[in-house]
Amino acid sequence: MIGHPFYILEKVDSTNNYAMAQVNSGDVTSGTAWFTGNQTAGKGTRGKKWLAAPGDISALTIALQPATLPLSRQFMLSIAVALGAHDFFSSHAGDETAIKWPNDIYWRDRKAGGILIENVIRGTIWQYAIIGIGINLNQGKFPEELKNAVSLRQITGKTWDGPSLAKELCQFLDKRIQQLTPAHYDQFLQEYKSKLFRMNVPAPYRNRSDESIFEGTIKDILPSGLLVMDTGDGLKEFGFGEIEFILG
């Protein structure tokens, strides 16, 4: 089960780094979770940092052995984790919660959390998925450069206990991971698309290859994880990191 065992780290550079070290140093039970409310060098996608004052963020990493998933289905694990995080966050923040492709958690048009999955592959064996989830928890305000960020405290007006919420998140994730079978792949993908931020909504984007700005409309997500967008010149496919969402 996800979150069994569950370890609380008083302070750590990155829960993903810590989990990876544990996996590389010996046997780790699938589902083991590490939590901290004081992460000094948290990692986001494409090398971004995930920084917060102690107690402001809920940083959780899970080491999972994806025994029934082939490497070709890595995006299905990403979908399952994103849906579990969405289930958790929306249970407290309401139905304005969305998933920003590929797996950020948004409330309205503001970022509330992020997911980073790092894989341990030995030969052709997908040995572990190191699943890191950072949730903005108790921040009262953010730096000017993070103007599109939002915390659960800002949304609800409540101050939250990090370990309790992390254990609750584990329960939501466990339910989704247990459902992750070939029979549910299509259902998961359709549900993911139904919760997707800006799905079928024209909006501005930046193409990272040449820094050009264009208006596009997300029309579909392929099982591989590619985003299908109508750019006005027909449908185009984009991979992770190829475009940037331009937010107000």
Side-chain angles (χ1 to χ4, degrees), residues 22-177:
Q22 297 303 304
V23 165
N24 288 332
S25 66
D27 292 332
V28 170
T29 305
S30 183
T32 299
W34 295 269
F35 165 83
T36 189
N38 189 1
Q39 184 171 245
T40 60
K43 296 191 293 184
T45 56
R46 299 187 302 278
K48 292 181 179 178
K49 300 298 183 183
W50 190 272
L51 302 176
D56 279 357
I57 194 170
S58 175
L60 176 72
T61 293
I62 295 150
L64 180 71
Q65 291 177 300
T68 62
L69 273 177
L71 277 170
S72 60
R73 290 292 190 173
Q74 290 183 50
F75 186 59
M76 293 310 303
L77 177 62
S78 179
I79 285 178
V81 174
L83 288 174
H86 180 280
D87 294 341
F88 159 78
F89 200 83
S90 62
S91 72
H92 296 291
D95 58 10
E96 292 182 283
T97 304
I99 300 169
K100 175 177 164 287
W101 177 80
N103 52 20
D104 283 338
I105 301 301
Y106 266 54
W107 183 79
R108 297 181 179 173
D109 61 349
R110 301 166 72 186
K111 184 174 180 178
I115 297 167
L116 175 65
I117 301 177
E118 300 177 289
N119 295 308
V120 178
I121 299 171
R122 293 182 176 140
T124 59
I125 305 300
W126 187 5
Q127 190 164 22
Y128 283 94
I130 307 300
I131 303 166
I133 304 174
I135 300 291
N136 293 334
L137 199 60
N138 288 317
Q139 292 96 327
K141 62 179 181 179
F142 291 89
E144 180 62 29
E145 63 269 22
L146 298 177
K147 60 183 179 181
N148 75 311
V150 68
S151 71
L152 195 56
R153 175 185 167 190
Q154 288 176 323
I155 296 168
T156 64
K158 301 177 183 178
T159 299
W160 298 87
D161 179 68
S164 297
L165 280 192
K167 291 177 181 178
E168 185 182 322
L169 174 56
C170 285
Q171 294 174 351
F172 280 101
L173 293 171
D174 187 71
K175 180 179 178 180
R176 290 294 187 171
I177 297 296

Side-chain angles (χ1 to χ4, degrees), residues 165-212:
L165 280 192
K167 291 177 181 178
E168 185 182 322
L169 174 56
C170 285
Q171 294 174 351
F172 280 101
L173 293 171
D174 187 71
K175 180 179 178 180
R176 290 294 187 171
I177 297 296
Q178 295 295 335
Q179 295 172 341
L180 190 52
T181 63
H184 286 94
Y185 287 169
D186 185 62
Q187 175 187 327
F188 266 32
L189 184 57
Q190 296 306 316
E191 188 175 357
Y192 172 85
K193 289 189 283 189
S194 75
K195 301 180 187 304
L196 203 64
F197 177 65
R198 285 187 177 175
M199 186 71 173
N200 293 315
V201 177
Y205 298 88
R206 178 177 286 106
N207 191 322
R208 284 201 170 95
S209 65
D210 59 9
E211 296 300 313
S212 61

Side-chain angles (χ1 to χ4, degrees), residues 203 207 210 212-219 228-238:
N207 191 322
D210 59 9
S212 61
I213 295 175
F214 65 96
E215 183 174 279
T217 304
I218 299 172
K219 305 303 291 186
V228 180
M229 180 177 286
D230 183 351
T231 64
D233 297 323
L235 297 178
K236 295 184 180 180
E237 297 176 1
F238 295 95

